[in-house]
Amino acid sequence: MPRPLVATIEIAAMQHNLSVARQQGEGARIWGVVKANAYGHGLLRGMRGFAAADGLSLIEFDNAVCLREAGWRKPILMLEGCFDMADMVTASTYHLEPVIHCVEQIVLLEHAMREHLVKAPFDVHLKLNSGMNRLGLAPAAFQAAYARLRALPGMRHISLMTHFANADGPDNPALPLARQVGCFLKNTRHLDGTRSTANSAMHLLQSSQAADWARPGIMLYGASPGTRTAASIGLQPAMTLASELIAIQEVEAGDAVGYGSRFVATVPMRIGIVACGYADGYPRQAPDGTPVLVEGIRTRLTGRVSMDMLMVDLTPVPSAHVGSAVELWGTQLPVDEVATMSGTIGYELLCAVAARVRFEERSAVDALQLL
Ligand SMILES: *Cc1c(COP(=O)(O)O)cnc(C)c1O
């Protein structure tokens, strides 16, 4: 029998979240971000969930080829651009649209065109470093980079993009959002091309900013990009990580639970052993008290998460037995809550679900069949 640990992916939730992003966008076209294996949900599930998106965007060239081979015909944006000449050739062959974020990538593209390694027309996304200081050309180098790309014979569309560092919470004096927006507008004002700026946080914050395309990621999976909860935004969790109790221990006051004996019972209690550990992607940093649902009832983690198991307090669930259903996160327990308790963000937990976890999928069609 397989382990009872299962990640269930709701395609209908992804479709719903995409429609929320669309309503928010006031006409902006949507790049559905499917990098990192669709944030851990599975690349092709992302493709199905976001079939109505205007394009998909990701980092990994092998996965972009998978999307084309699986039948995705709409645009594909490569968020970090080409890493080498082979990627340029792949981009040309499969009509992928790479970001150009540094001069080295312009040199690579010029070389590729000179040597006829890529064929026209070629579409690129020129990225401005508007203050985050991660990827993008410096403002002072932006116009020249644009002109250099424009001069290439096979060049068709040059889209203009940037990325915001602080759209997910209170304004940050180290880099106010308005400064980044101002920098982008100033440096792209005279240039021809569609604009694409917003990740989920920015998209939710400021839908009417000067953008033709938005690039929502995390919100499409039903988790929050920042301070507002996903539910308050009307998002539905796309992944539920669920397991079962595989054993129960009765402990007395003074008994300790798990590695390092971090949790010590102060009263007699039942401890449930759940088939899910850090080798499945559950955060080892989770402290005692992290919420876990047993038979739909909220209880708490007790003791250190081990590689394959974790332990929970069964006091609030007297009916719990070996085989009782456990939700680690998902439709009833927001992944963001577990993440916050563990000192991280929902993104990291979703992306880190391990390869050994069984994935199941509920599609909209299955939902209809249940009626
Ligand atoms: C990952 C990514 C996004 C999506 O970010 P979310 O916070 O998940 O919405 C948008 N743009 C770029 C360039 C990215 O790398």
Side-chain angles (χ1 to χ4, degrees):
M1 211 181 94
R3 283 171 85 216
L5 179 62
V6 179
T8 302
I9 308 299
E10 292 274 4
I11 301 295
M14 297 163 104
Q15 293 166 336
H16 165 83
N17 297 333
L18 177 65
S19 71
V20 172
R22 266 213 196 286
Q23 283 157 22
Q24 179 72 21
E26 295 173 357
R29 279 172 281 172
I30 305 282
W31 291 112
V33 180
V34 294
K35 63 187 175 187
N37 200 24
Y39 289 50
H41 293 63
L43 179 72
L44 296 183
R45 294 187 196 99
M47 183 179 108
R48 283 197 291 282
F50 312 139
D54 301 290
L56 294 177
S57 61
L58 70 170
I59 308 277
E60 307 86 355
F61 277 79
D62 52 349
N63 277 357
V65 170
C66 281
L67 289 172
R68 286 289 184 234
E69 287 176 346
W72 182 263
R73 298 268 161 268
K74 289 186 262 188
I76 297 179
L77 162 60
M78 303 308 295
L79 290 164
E80 290 180 355
C82 296
F83 301 95
D84 61 12
M85 190 56 85
D87 291 344
M88 281 287 176
V89 174
T90 303
S92 174
T93 307
Y94 291 91
H95 197 71
L96 313 175
E97 305 177 20
V99 161
I100 301 280
H101 64 73
C102 61
V103 170
E104 289 78 358
Q105 289 180 328
I106 301 179
V107 172
L108 194 65
L109 181 55
E110 286 171 340
H111 182 169
M113 287 189 171
R114 223 174 20 247
E115 303 289 323
H116 304 288
L117 295 172
V118 299
K119 42 184 197 302
F122 210 75
D123 298 317
V124 299
H125 299 255
L126 184 61
K127 187 164 193 177
L128 174 73
N129 172 12
S130 57
M132 186 172 177
N133 291 311
R134 196 177 60 175
L135 293 186
L137 286 125
F142 199 70
Q143 311 284 329
Y146 184 92
R148 208 164 148 182
L149 289 172
R150 195 69 281 165
L152 291 173
M155 185 56 60
R156 185 167 60 183
H157 193 225
I158 305 172
S159 169
L160 307 165
M161 71 185 279
T162 196
H163 196 71
F164 297 110
N166 295 311
D168 60 343
D171 215 22
N172 191 324
L175 181 61
L177 189 57
R179 193 194 302 165
Q180 279 203 275
V181 172
C183 177
F184 182 70
L185 294 177
K186 175 165 172 260
N187 287 285
T188 58
R189 197 169 39 222
H190 306 296
L191 301 178
D192 190 33
T194 54
R195 275 115 174 107
S196 127
T197 51
N199 57 357
S200 297
M202 188 63 182
H203 188 59
L204 289 164
L205 192 70
Q206 199 177 349
S207 58
S208 58
Q209 29 97 38
D212 307 294
W213 287 77
R215 307 186 303 268
I218 195 71
M219 70 177 290
L220 301 183
Y221 302 94
S224 167
T227 40
R228 287 170 67 194
T229 65
S232 76
I233 304 165
L235 302 172
Q236 297 172 0
M239 179 197 291
T240 296
L241 185 64
S243 188
E244 291 179 2
L245 297 184
I246 58 168
I248 292 178
Q249 302 293 344
E250 315 258 352
V251 303
E252 302 296 331
D255 288 348
V257 175
Y259 283 120
S261 301
R262 183 177 75 182
F263 179 83
V264 179
T266 54
V267 291
M269 60 195 290
R270 293 200 308 155
I271 298 289
I273 317 304
V274 181
C276 180
Y278 63 77
D280 301 301
Y282 195 91
R284 185 174 174 279
Q285 296 77 4
D288 291 341
T290 301
V292 179
L293 293 186
V294 177
E295 294 191 340
I297 296 168
R298 187 178 270 253
T299 182
R300 57 179 177 141
L301 184 75
T302 49
R304 255 189 219 162
V305 173
S306 37
M307 187 184 247
D308 315 298
M309 285 169 277
L310 55 81
M311 286 72 82
V312 295
D313 175 9
L314 294 181
T315 309
V317 204
S319 61
H321 53 89
V322 169
S324 281
V326 175
E327 180 174 317
L328 287 319
W329 63 67
T331 52
Q332 299 173 81
L333 176 59
V335 67
D336 296 310
E337 261 192 65
V338 179
T340 302
M341 286 293 288
S342 310
T344 183
I345 52 178
Y347 295 73
E348 189 179 8
L349 301 192
L350 295 175
C351 292
V353 174
R356 76 170 178 178
V357 175
R358 192 152 45 96
F359 275 72
E360 287 177 1
E361 180 176 320
R362 266 205 294 266
S363 66
V365 176
D366 294 339
L368 284 177
Q369 284 166 349
L370 291 173
L371 292 177

